Amino acid sequence: MLETALGTDLARFGEYQTRLVKLNPKLGSQLGEEGVLAAPTTANTPAALLTAPMGVPPPDQADATTPEGDAEERAKALNMMRMLANRQNSRWLEAKEWDVPYTFDATKFPTLLGGEEYSKYKLQVVEMVKAGQLVVQMLAAEETITMPDGSRKATFTQETWDMVRWCCPNRLLATSERIDGLSIGARQLLALRLAVEKLAGAEAVAKMTVLLHLAEEMEEPVLADLRAHNLYGFDRENFIIVPQVSRFGYRFHADGKRFDRVTDSQAWLCGSGYALQQLTWDREAYVMATNYTARSFLQGSVVEHLKAKDVQWMVSGRTADLARCGVEGALDVECLAYTLKLAQERGANMSCEVKPVEGLIAARQQNSVMVSTKGDTRAQRLPKDTCRFGTDLKFADLQSVKSTKWINDFVASSNEHLIVNTDRYIFQMAALATMLSKGPQGFHADIDLHGQQVYLSFHMADLTASPQACCAPLLSKHPLLTVRTHKQVDEAVPLLVSQDKNPAFHKVVSGLKAVHPPRNVGGLRIQPINLLKPKQEAAPVQQGLPIMVFITENEASVHAVSLAVALARPDIDSIHVMHACSNDGATPDAQKLMARVTQGLGHKVNSEVMVRGTQSVVDCLLDYATKHKAGLIVMGSQQMTKGDAALASSITLAVLKRTDAPVVVTKPSTPAPMGCLLGGLRAMLAVEHTARPLLKWLNSHLITVTRGDKLYLARVGAKDAKAQEDHTTKQMLEQFVELAGKKVHVEKRSLVGPQIEAFAAAVRQDDVHLLAIPVPHNQPVPQQAIDMLRTTKTAVLLMKCKPTS
């Protein structure tokens, strides 16, 4: 395979590898020892590719014991090997012309044509699950989490709250508020079980087939955990385990013009594409025997086994995607239903979930750029046997000089807007079997160099370029939640909290088979699941916040209502949406506006249309706020970007002058805020001497720890980048951190430059949903606050604060 992959460059590559071995025989016997590429930080993506400029090979480290001349020769050999490998990796895509991909928005599918089509295809999904015609593939072999001490732990077997304790201890919940003893893999299996039960009933769980891919060293501890908990409710005969072996590196054998395996080299896993190929090989997988202690290997291949079971579709995902711990993330019914529709109407035989990103760095981190064949409009037409929707390009294939120029031009032409694959796939089994029938030649194998050895890796993404593939890129409403480093664990806490508070999850965990596992298996400490909750005092009753939203016929009002829903605490805060019309004749149009703005919010909203008659708009709004004891007023202003004069005469500013309640202002440029419900609210407080009451109010009424909210404390501490942070800023930030309390996730931001520009930049950098600014009590709104309202591209909260001692 290596000989084929290197093609006409085989002899030259072998020459340079032979030269390298002669210069330093000890080099590269272990992975990462002055290797050409470091260990991957994402699946099949070398870390050096994530940090080095496009087309520039990562630097080699010189050996202090190597003569200068030999070091130069070695560097030349390494660089030539890199160049040849990059050229071969890119060769297949350089022969084609690529264009921006055509994407399908699965988020809108349930509401199209009144939901009739969605109901039709959802019913097909339900029937398929009930009949056992769906298999879920869990790729766990390569997935690891890098801990704070630099060690790597297998994601699937990692106990979740232990992981939080090590990586972000300030987010650890009390024992009474969490469920201990569940690994990430266990949580994903239980979420899948709940998803199947919710969709098709408890009987369907017994027919659901699970494919679990494990690295060999993970097998024993995972099997012990599965035995201990009765496969988490899945049927023994339908729970298929596929162990994935690591492979040694290869070295060129000059006499035979071939590569020989180096058995003293570091062994590596060969990628998700290799895991797919295993499905076509005999006796590569097994189920647990009747006594749960032995392995019962499938006599044929997994593909043959699933065909005999009449399995029609396979859902595939990585265990590093912790969104799979949620019921909707474990089995995305909308994407499944949409894929069935595209299969029947447009001939799609696979789909992949995609997401938009800004710029090449974000795409490189995901190891993906989605494209389509240039000039190919077949994805928008109906022929069932010819259309080809999207192709996923890996960054290992974008390292040659020619491909580097193309990707840079492609990024520039798309204004930095790119579509990337999230590694969530849905395959039609018959089509997948056809694609895999070509063996390794069905993939664009990547040539990886480590030390002196050369390795091959295969990626599932290559199937999107198969001549038999018709891959539909789907935009999904479920955000990717990939956790591969300790710095990303913080983002997963809200999902874990939500899962542990779910009554259905509690019920399924408490019903697990009570088997006492061994305490240590294969180096993994298996914990008993702890559902016992110690007695605790009754929690204080939280006071609800009446949130008033004043709307009018403009785009900013839609943003205002959405933001109010995002800020409101479920079952605690109330939302009142009000529109004031001038006379009774305007009432029908006002009611239509109200219905449009408040439709499908996911939160109970009290709406009211008022006829103000001769009363001014401001008086009417303030009377309504007083009547309902408004604790927060949210308004959309269409004029924020039209200059100070327009703003000064706006209704928004007039309301702000006359009310003591905090006021949140949104603009048409304000980003859609609904995502903060999933990943937590990101609020930034402008730290001033008068801001203490505002900090206290934020902690009491907006910041919710269990939702995963973050509070950024920001203050300009230097006039320019060369100046040092002033003592007052440093002292005030420390004081406000202490005032915020230990339960709140707080980060300090000492800003540089003029205040208006500094805050605008900080809001963009931290993707802030809400900027909170204190304004003086019983005084006009400062011009500086007005300028920040106008320039910052986010919602702004202004609260009148009296000076404190």
Side-chain angles (χ1 to χ4, degrees), residues 720-767:
D720 55 62
K722 295 181 180 179
Q724 292 186 347
E725 178 184 29
D726 64 67
H727 177 72
T728 301
T729 294
K730 185 175 182 180
Q731 190 176 43
M732 286 188 65
L733 289 177
E734 292 294 343
Q735 290 175 355
F736 271 71
V737 168
E738 187 175 346
L739 289 171
K742 294 182 178 180
K743 289 187 177 181
V744 180
H745 183 90
V746 176
E747 293 187 20
K748 296 179 294 183
R749 293 289 185 268
S750 182
L751 309 182
V752 176
Q755 180 150 330
I756 307 301
E757 292 81 353
F759 270 95
V763 163
R764 289 195 303 269
Q765 181 178 342
D766 289 314
D767 194 17

Side-chain angles (χ1 to χ4, degrees), residues 462-474:
D462 287 336
L463 290 187
T464 63
S466 169
Q468 292 79 35
C470 188
C471 179
L474 302 181

Side-chain angles (χ1 to χ4, degrees), residues 10 86 118 199 239 241 284 346 464 490 543 551 587:
L10 172 64
N86 289 339
Y118 174 64
L199 179 67
F239 202 104
I241 297 170
E284 281 287 309
R346 304 202 182 193
T464 63
D490 181 77
Q543 295 297 318
I551 66 168
T587 302

